[in-house]
Amino acid sequence: MNNKEKLVVIIGPTAVGKTKLSIELAKRYNGEIISGDSMQIYRGMDIGTAKIKEEEMEGIPHHLIDIRNPEQEFSAAEFQQLVREKITEISSRNKLPIIVGGTGLYIQAAIFDYQFSDALSDPEFRSKLEKRADLEGNQVLHDELASIDPQSASEIHPNNVRRVIRALEIYHCTGKTKEETQANQSPELMYETALIGLTMDREQLYERINLRVDLMVEEGLLEEVESLYKRGLRTCQSIQAIGYKEIYQYLDGLTSLPEAIETLKQNSRRYAKRQLTWFRNKMNVQWFNIGEDDFVKKISEISAYIEGKLQLKSNT
């Protein structure tokens, strides 16, 4: 007998339409939504992360949004713990948990029996690196990381010494990069899961991304980023997010505003491409082309898949 909790997961690239679908499914299956976005956890970062607005929620409870201040660090391991608590809590109320987002590693960590390498440590090695950072500067350690683990180096700011040292420590302990230590696992799904991926024609998706960025600017993205900039937030994890780092370049006087916006669009398009590649390579996803047919027809198709997969009945 399968006693696993039922779970719907909606993944896909930025701007593909995950939010709209999630609300419809939550209404249909008495669901509550858990954000699977690594940046929507931050308070005061609403426009740049395309955070759902109160009126768009249509009364559906949303979880793991606005749970950290922008200066705080947050890891996939923390996300894993919080999501699992939420899934249990939502299920205990006879509601259907629905994870929605585009941060692949976070979602993978939450729904699979995924072991993190946090247990691996060498305090003596770490202490040596901390002293080197003090004497030789942060960039030296970051360059060292880039030579052995370019993936981690591209994701970590040179001034985020704690995370640079952690990535070097994992390599020192295992002889493998952080991604390699995680990729070698073949974890099991923790839940009875309907894993839905949304996609659309690339040109159409890129057009939507460009329009979304224009709308963000209209809605006050510049002012939002400026408020973080004036608070002196600079090297923290949150400011490395797409939508923030590009505007920081403008605020630092390194580029014009139109150039910063164009770079933001380009980075968003590249990110969407990386998201799709990641999901296709790492997870067994049931894909739906959201650009074809009308939305109502697509909802019916996706609902039929969920009902078959999870043995659910809709409210409608």
Side-chain angles (χ1 to χ4, degrees):
M1 189 176 161
N2 188 356
N3 291 322
K4 287 182 178 178
E5 292 153 318
K6 294 181 194 294
L7 174 70
V8 170
V9 181
I10 303 168
I11 59 170
T14 185
V16 78
K18 298 183 294 292
T19 300
K20 186 179 177 187
L21 174 67
S22 68
I23 295 294
E24 289 306 315
L25 293 180
K27 289 193 290 194
R28 195 169 280 215
Y29 299 107
N30 202 19
E32 295 191 13
I33 292 167
I34 301 169
S35 168
D37 186 292
S38 62
M39 290 298 156
Q40 293 189 358
I41 61 160
Y42 291 114
R43 300 180 188 102
M45 295 177 66
D46 304 336
I47 299 168
T49 64
K51 205 175 282 176
I52 189 168
K53 299 180 178 77
E54 186 82 33
E55 61 272 19
E56 291 170 336
M57 293 183 184
E58 297 190 38
I60 303 293
H62 280 64
H63 305 276
L64 303 194
I65 292 174
D66 295 339
I67 58 167
R68 291 283 187 278
N69 291 325
E71 58 274 20
Q72 292 177 290
E73 293 286 316
F74 192 69
S75 70
E78 284 176 274
F79 180 79
Q80 180 188 64
Q81 184 191 342
L82 290 173
V83 168
R84 289 180 182 174
E85 286 169 6
K86 284 290 170 197
I87 289 171
T88 301
E89 177 204 312
I90 293 165
S91 301
S92 72
R93 290 190 262 108
N94 293 317
K95 300 270 190 149
L96 177 68
I98 303 172
I99 299 177
V100 184
T103 308
L105 177 61
Y106 275 39
I107 293 169
Q108 189 184 39
I111 68 175
F112 288 91
D113 181 18
Y114 209 92
Q115 305 301 312
F116 280 93
S117 46
D118 291 3
L120 302 163
S121 69
D122 182 339
E124 197 181 325
F125 178 76
R126 193 163 58 236
S127 174
K128 260 191 226 169
L129 291 182
E130 284 163 357
K131 283 174 187 154
R132 278 188 60 202
D134 288 340
L135 290 169
E136 302 171 42
N138 302 342
Q139 191 62 48
V140 171
L141 293 189
H142 193 269
D143 290 345
E144 203 167 295
L145 179 62
S147 69
I148 57 170
D149 185 356
Q151 177 67 33
S152 289
S154 72
E155 292 167 2
I156 304 170
H157 193 279
N159 291 339
N160 195 335
V161 184
R162 186 178 69 80
R163 285 186 70 208
V164 170
I165 288 175
R166 181 65 195 131
L168 286 167
E169 187 182 16
I170 288 169
Y171 188 81
H172 168 76
C173 291
T174 64
K176 293 174 183 164
T177 66
K178 186 177 174 184
E179 193 172 38
E180 282 167 349
T181 59
Q182 289 163 356
N184 286 343
Q185 301 178 42
S186 52
E188 294 287 311
L189 270 168
M190 303 272 294
Y191 307 97
E192 198 183 332
T193 309
L195 189 48
I196 293 155
L198 301 187
T199 184
M200 65 171 52
D201 168 73
R202 186 172 288 182
E203 288 308 309
Q204 192 183 349
L205 179 64
Y206 286 177
E207 198 178 308
R208 282 175 67 127
I209 288 169
N210 292 341
L211 284 170
R212 173 183 272 192
V213 171
D214 289 336
L215 189 61
M216 283 175 174
V217 173
E218 276 175 40
E219 288 181 342
L221 177 63
L222 182 58
E223 292 75 11
E224 179 173 279
V225 180
E226 217 165 4
S227 72
L228 300 168
Y229 186 87
K230 284 175 179 169
R231 280 165 59 185
L233 300 177
R234 190 154 274 278
T235 60
C236 39
Q237 183 180 338
S238 59
I239 302 306
Q240 308 319 312
I242 294 170
Y244 296 84
K245 59 183 179 181
E246 296 85 359
I247 304 296
Y248 261 58
Q249 291 273 300
Y250 160 66
L251 295 171
D252 281 337
L254 300 173
T255 184
S256 69
L257 185 56
E259 283 170 336
I261 291 165
E262 197 45 56
T263 305
L264 167 49
K265 288 178 179 177
Q266 188 179 55
N267 287 344
S268 298
R269 294 193 300 267
R270 284 177 180 159
Y271 178 57
K273 193 178 173 185
R274 286 201 308 275
Q275 283 175 302
L276 278 167
T277 304
W278 200 98
F279 288 131
R280 288 196 168 117
N281 291 342
K282 304 276 186 180
M283 293 193 208
N284 186 16
V285 179
Q286 182 69 37
W287 290 98
F288 294 90
N289 191 327
I290 208 82
E292 293 171 354
D293 308 320
D294 62 275
F295 189 67
V296 174
K297 190 176 172 187
K298 199 53 69 173
I299 287 269
S300 301
E301 206 180 301
I302 293 167
S303 298
Y305 172 72
I306 290 170
E307 286 165 25
K309 186 86 176 167
L310 302 182
Q311 305 302 299
L312 285 178
K313 286 188 179 154
S314 85
N315 301 327
T316 54

